[in-house]
Amino acid sequence: MDPLRRSPSPCSSSRPSSPSTPACEMFGPIGIEAVLGQLKIKAMKMGFEFNIMVVGQSGLGKSTMVNTLFKSKVWKSNPPGLGLPTPQTLQLHSVTHVIEEKGVKLKLTVTDTPGFGDQINNDNWDPILGYINEQYERYLQEEILITRRHHIPDTRVHCCVYFVPPTGHCLRPLDIEFLQRLCRTVNVVPVIARADSLTMEEREAFRHRIQKNLRTHCIDVYPQKCFDEDINDKILNSKLRDRIPFAVVGADREHLVNGRCVLGRKTKWGIIEVENMAHCEFPLLRDLLIRSHLQDLKDITHNVHYENYRVIRLNESHLLPRGPGWVNLDPASPGQLTSRRPFKVCRGAHDVSEDEF
Amino acid sequence: MSKQQPAQFINPETPGYVGFANLPNQVHRKSVKKGFEFTLMVVGESGLGKSTLINSLFLTDLYPERVIPGAAALNTRKTLIWEKIERTVQIEASTVEIEERGVKLRLTVVDTPGYGDAINCRDCFKTIISYIDEQFERYLHDESGLNRRHIVDNRVHCCFYFISPFGHGLKPLDVAFMKAIHNKVNIVPVIAKADTLTLKERERLKKRILDEIEEHNIKIYHLPDAESDEDEDFKEQTRLLKASIPFSVVGSNQLIEAKGKKVRGRLYPWGVVEVENPEHNDFLKLRTMLITHMQDLQEVTQDLHYENFRSERLKRGGRKVENEDMNKDQILLEKEAELRRMQEMIARMQAQMQLQLQGGDGDGGALGHHV
């Protein structure tokens, strides 16, 4: 029995709740499809939330990539790490923005991890895993209250983009160790960062080797094979899985190429266009994260990763003695978070309050 | 016939000319016959293009068992190492004899695979430092030996330290490593894979690195200023070289067709990076520096680093630091053993006295005193 079986998501209204219900014969159109319109109006009113985390060594272009993805200056001030000395310890830095496009509002939270992989001794990844678990904890706390809020703020990390340095050889021990731990708690999308240092052949060879490494170490990156629901999903996702990890280049400057204004990097020997599929695979990453799989990422986070966390926590609180982050689920005393974890999380100045949203 | 002139040393030049101006030619001839030795160490994380750069610099394939289409080939031995999480740094020395116009160069390249790749790199540079010390030790031993005719100089004359172009400057590991070896070897910092940087980024990174080197008081190799009697071209060249440190280089051994001629470079969909184009990177400058200052690098190694090492060693009286620690432990153990022996002796003496006492009591109290 697969313990990670997905329960049907509350938003997937297009699939029947039980496949054994016989289809009913209709004599004429009723207007059921209007439900889709109603859902759309509701969704537009409520807006969407999306939380993304970027992990990787400094200088791999994480901040630039985020800016390029959302075509806005997500980091209002200088991105952390640029121009500043490398942080001595691993820190987490979150920034929240509300982006609007054609009436659709997206509350985007980006969490950066400056200091990851930069020290001499890098075996300290607890701050990152602790942060992810803390967001699950917060949601769990809200969920188990007797009087719950109308809309629980979702700060859980929906997707973690892992930046692999373009060495051209294979995954490093740090990458493997960390990815193994990450994949069990969150959706991970690995990308080859700064891919403009690799020629096309080097890229393909590197990609194949990374895929082999991921298979050898049983690292299940997004899109996970076991969550493909039907044949269409399988086909679409297999195409994606072939190309993962994407080789990306980030740029936030515009240049003139053949009369068009494109985002790119200008060098003495040519201009690297970010949105040109022949140059890099940034469009694939953007389509995956935003255009086609955003809702899927959120669904899997809610139905799989969060449920796993919840099961572990509920088991813990009944059977096992208290550990760090233990929460009293006894209704007599509402849950108190005892977080004794030594890391800092700084929320950006643009934290949008519940009422405004 | 009449005057049988004995074979004389005829003076071909003007009077007053002795002729020792010919000495440099003699030295030159001898050196050419003897050949030159040079040991170069390359240190840097894997994937920074060290092997490719060395091959490009000397236009040889120093690693013939590796098939290198660009930097993408994988050394099968390396995959085996990468299966383990805890890795130790290996030292691989490969020697190659290069000959050009009758001048022989015996080049040894010391590679350090595994450097900077482990999760915890605390012990990364111990292996490297002990290798350098070992070479000095061997030279010192040979020099103090009886037969000093064929001393092989395997001391590391120069260390190319590869800095990743992806960071924002030096990493903590870079700083720690350079501080550990700047008194033992000439460090030449090199920015690897420079084709990922635009010109502005390159300038910014170079300045950052120089600032950080100064901030941490790291002593890198400084090119000697051109003598005042050298020609202007050489002086200008030296000035340019000094201004470009650290060199940002791109390495490649592939021939690409660009603008009608075949050049060594890297082919991208957006253009071709030429290795030997000074506008694209500093490869030519690095090669020029290495060739014109090879002698100086050897001299500094001999006069500064080796002498430092030698005076330290002789001060310590011929004992290595590790031996000293071991000696301390040994001394402790010996002292403990001695203590135990003395305690046993005292116990035996006490027992003897007890016996004597009892014996004395049995004698009728002749011995009236206790011990």
Side-chain angles (χ1 to χ4, degrees):
Chain A
M1 196 55 163
D2 186 1
L4 299 179
R5 188 173 39 102
R6 246 172 102 171
S7 50
S9 115
C11 303
S12 54
S13 52
S14 50
R15 283 166 241 156
S17 50
S18 140
S20 57
T21 314
C24 184
E25 224 189 290
M26 292 191 353
F27 299 109
I30 310 171
I32 300 179
E33 51 200 0
V35 169
L36 290 172
Q38 296 171 27
L39 274 174
K40 196 168 157 196
I41 296 173
K42 271 247 157 103
M44 303 261 285
K45 256 200 249 167
M46 246 183 28
F48 297 89
E49 286 168 312
F50 190 56
N51 306 320
I52 185 175
M53 178 186 262
V54 282
V55 183
Q57 281 181 317
S58 65
L60 286 182
K62 305 188 291 290
S63 324
T64 317
M65 177 57 59
V66 169
N67 285 349
T68 321
L69 265 176
F70 296 100
K71 285 221 173 100
S72 38
K73 289 254 185 252
V74 176
W75 306 100
K76 274 278 159 75
S77 56
N78 241 351
L82 192 67
L84 299 168
T86 342
Q88 290 304 311
T89 50
L90 178 55
Q91 297 169 358
L92 282 106
H93 187 102
S94 278
V95 153
T96 308
H97 284 276
V98 176
I99 308 178
E100 182 163 340
E101 189 186 66
K102 292 204 186 135
V104 181
K105 280 194 261 195
L106 177 69
K107 181 177 170 208
L108 173 73
T109 305
V110 182
T111 309
D112 194 4
T113 54
F116 175 80
D118 289 327
Q119 275 82 46
I120 297 182
N121 184 357
N122 287 315
D123 63 5
N124 179 28
W125 36 66
D126 288 336
I128 298 179
L129 296 173
Y131 176 81
I132 297 173
N133 284 332
E134 201 211 359
Q135 307 315 305
Y136 288 146
E137 187 65 38
R138 277 200 202 163
Y139 198 87
L140 182 64
Q141 284 315 298
E142 294 280 345
E143 215 186 32
I144 59 174
L145 286 178
I146 297 176
T147 38
R148 291 195 282 204
R149 281 202 257 191
H150 175 67
H151 172 76
I152 302 177
D154 190 2
T155 54
R156 301 171 293 187
V157 178
H158 298 129
C159 176
C160 177
V161 184
Y162 188 84
F163 285 71
V164 177
T167 57
H169 294 309
C170 61
L171 284 181
R172 302 167 303 153
L174 175 64
D175 300 331
I176 294 175
E177 273 293 304
F178 191 66
L179 281 172
Q180 275 178 329
R181 288 179 167 75
L182 261 191
C183 279
R184 290 184 230 134
T185 42
V186 80
N187 297 319
V188 180
V189 178
V191 293
I192 300 176
R194 298 286 280 261
D196 53 342
S197 66
L198 300 169
T199 61
M200 291 298 146
E201 304 95 37
E202 289 166 359
R203 246 187 239 181
E204 288 305 312
F206 190 35
R207 198 201 312 271
H208 283 305
R209 255 176 257 131
I210 292 183
Q211 284 170 346
K212 206 168 98 172
N213 282 150
L214 294 175
R215 272 196 299 270
T216 321
H217 291 96
C218 304
I219 298 172
D220 208 4
V221 297
Y222 184 84
Q224 294 96 334
K225 266 212 181 120
C226 40
F227 303 139
D228 284 339
E229 290 196 352
D230 51 22
I231 192 73
N232 292 332
D233 273 351
K234 269 213 185 69
I235 297 176
L236 178 65
N237 287 344
S238 327
K239 278 203 214 138
L240 283 172
R241 276 189 280 262
D242 255 347
R243 310 294 296 161
I244 284 194
F246 301 128
V248 293
V249 176
D252 44 12
R253 287 240 174 94
E254 294 203 338
H255 301 278
L256 212 61
V257 169
N258 293 340
R260 299 172 298 138
C261 225
V262 287
L263 279 175
R265 286 168 64 77
K266 185 161 185 201
T267 56
K268 268 239 165 265
W269 44 89
I271 296 184
I272 304 161
E273 295 170 47
V274 164
E275 303 203 2
N276 185 341
M277 272 302 290
H279 289 189
C280 77
E281 290 163 359
F282 171 78
L284 286 178
L285 178 68
R286 183 195 49 209
D287 291 347
L288 177 82
L289 284 183
I290 304 174
R291 291 189 192 170
S292 51
H293 286 74
L294 195 144
Q295 191 55 43
D296 193 45
L297 282 163
K298 292 176 66 172
D299 284 346
I300 294 190
T301 309
H302 180 74
N303 295 328
V304 178
H305 296 297
Y306 172 67
E307 289 298 315
N308 283 343
Y309 177 80
R310 191 170 162 276
V311 162
I312 295 174
R313 286 289 292 116
L314 294 183
N315 274 339
E316 263 178 14
S317 59
H318 289 307
L319 304 171
L320 301 172
R322 303 181 191 198
W326 179 86
V327 162
N328 191 357
L329 292 175
D330 195 343
S333 48
Q336 328 133 341
L337 265 176
T338 51
S339 61
R340 276 172 263 127
R341 275 163 252 157
F343 67 97
K344 308 179 222 157
V345 175
C346 348
R347 289 247 154 211
H350 303 275
D351 226 349
V352 180
S353 65
E354 251 293 73
D355 307 328
E356 196 185 319
F357 198 61
Chain B
M1 277 184 347
S2 44
K3 271 204 252 174
Q4 223 196 5
Q5 266 188 353
Q8 267 183 27
F9 292 109
I10 328 166
N11 193 348
E13 304 281 337
T14 54
Y17 176 75
V18 177
F20 56 77
N22 203 24
L23 275 169
N25 289 342
Q26 298 175 25
V27 173
H28 176 87
R29 255 201 313 249
K30 278 230 152 130
S31 325
V32 168
K33 253 203 263 173
K34 198 173 113 183
F36 295 93
E37 284 174 322
F38 193 73
T39 305
L40 172 68
M41 178 180 261
V42 282
V43 185
E45 287 177 355
S46 48
L48 284 181
K50 303 188 294 286
S51 325
T52 317
L53 184 72
I54 296 299
N55 286 341
S56 317
L57 264 180
F58 297 102
L59 286 173
T60 57
D61 202 345
L62 214 53
Y63 307 92
E65 69 275 9
R66 269 197 235 176
V67 176
I68 304 187
L74 187 66
N75 190 347
T76 42
R77 203 176 63 82
K78 272 193 175 173
T79 29
L80 292 173
I81 296 179
W82 269 317
E83 295 308 313
K84 300 187 271 186
I85 304 295
E86 274 305 302
R87 295 151 40 141
T88 47
V89 178
Q90 316 283 325
I91 304 278
E92 285 178 357
S94 351
T95 309
V96 122
E97 296 244 351
I98 311 176
E99 184 167 333
E100 197 180 65
R101 290 196 211 160
V103 181
K104 284 195 274 264
L105 172 68
R106 191 168 150 273
L107 170 77
T108 308
V109 176
V110 181
D111 197 0
T112 53
Y115 172 83
D117 290 331
I119 298 180
N120 189 350
C121 296
R122 229 178 9 211
D123 302 325
C124 239
F125 29 97
K126 278 197 197 151
T127 326
I128 301 177
I129 294 179
S130 54
Y131 177 81
I132 298 175
D133 282 340
E134 211 182 284
Q135 305 311 309
F136 278 147
E137 185 74 39
R138 205 176 296 177
Y139 193 82
L140 178 63
H141 184 261
D142 286 346
E143 209 187 35
S144 335
L146 291 171
N147 187 354
R148 304 204 291 183
R149 213 161 293 162
H150 297 289
I151 303 181
V152 180
D153 185 5
N154 270 327
R155 297 171 294 185
V156 179
H157 299 117
C158 178
C159 173
F160 278 0
Y161 191 78
F162 283 70
I163 300 171
S164 167
F166 306 121
H168 295 298
L170 292 177
K171 294 201 214 158
L173 180 62
D174 299 339
V175 174
F177 181 76
M178 288 206 270
K179 284 184 91 150
I181 66 164
H182 65 167
N183 282 323
K184 296 181 192 276
V185 97
N186 298 314
I187 302 181
V188 177
V190 173
I191 301 176
K193 290 199 170 177
D195 53 352
T196 56
L197 302 170
T198 63
L199 212 59
K200 246 194 258 173
E201 290 168 354
R202 205 182 293 178
E203 294 305 311
R204 201 169 355 139
L205 185 61
K206 281 192 186 181
K207 191 170 176 310
R208 259 319 272 294
I209 291 178
L210 286 173
D211 287 342
E212 287 182 354
I213 286 180
E214 211 184 290
E215 188 188 316
H216 290 104
N217 288 328
I218 296 172
K219 298 181 218 141
I220 58 172
Y221 173 69
H222 288 291
L223 292 156
D225 287 320
E227 306 280 314
S228 47
D229 56 348
E230 300 274 1
D231 57 3
E232 267 308 309
D233 281 339
F234 189 71
K235 280 200 216 163
E236 182 61 29
Q237 187 190 69
T238 316
R239 249 199 303 269
L240 273 174
L241 286 179
K242 282 182 100 116
S244 306
I245 288 187
F247 299 114
S248 55
V249 292
V250 175
S252 169
N253 263 340
Q254 279 180 312
L255 287 168
I256 312 280
E257 182 97 20
K259 294 179 211 147
K261 51 189 176 95
K262 280 203 176 264
V263 284
R264 282 193 300 151
R266 289 170 65 75
L267 177 65
Y268 291 111
W270 48 87
V272 175
V273 180
E274 296 170 43
V275 164
E276 287 169 353
N277 186 338
E279 290 189 1
H280 288 190
N281 69 350
D282 296 334
F283 176 81
L284 281 181
K285 293 201 186 108
L286 179 67
R287 190 162 68 181
T288 314
M289 186 221 86
L290 189 62
I291 303 292
T292 49
H293 292 93
M294 211 179 260
Q295 177 62 27
D296 186 60
L297 284 163
Q298 284 178 328
E299 248 178 60
V300 175
T301 310
Q302 167 74 30
D303 295 339
L304 181 63
H305 301 298
Y306 175 66
E307 288 302 316
N308 272 343
F309 175 82
R310 191 168 166 278
S311 51
E312 284 290 307
R313 278 291 268 109
L314 295 180
K315 250 192 265 177
R316 274 185 273 131
R319 277 185 307 162
K320 282 203 188 139
V321 186
E322 296 96 60
N323 279 352
E324 245 178 53
D325 281 341
M326 270 167 32
N327 277 349
K328 282 196 195 133
D329 285 337
Q330 274 178 359
I331 291 171
L332 270 169
L333 284 169
E334 281 168 25
K335 288 237 154 77
E336 273 178 38
E338 229 189 293
L339 257 169
R340 247 179 282 131
R341 262 181 274 132
M342 302 207 65
Q343 282 175 341
E344 277 169 34
M345 237 169 61
I346 292 174
R348 254 182 282 133
M349 279 169 60
Q350 279 183 338
Q352 269 183 0
M353 285 178 200
Q354 288 278 346
L355 280 170
Q356 281 182 349
L357 223 76
Q358 285 172 2
D361 277 346
D363 270 345
L367 295 167
H369 58 274
H370 292 278
V371 178

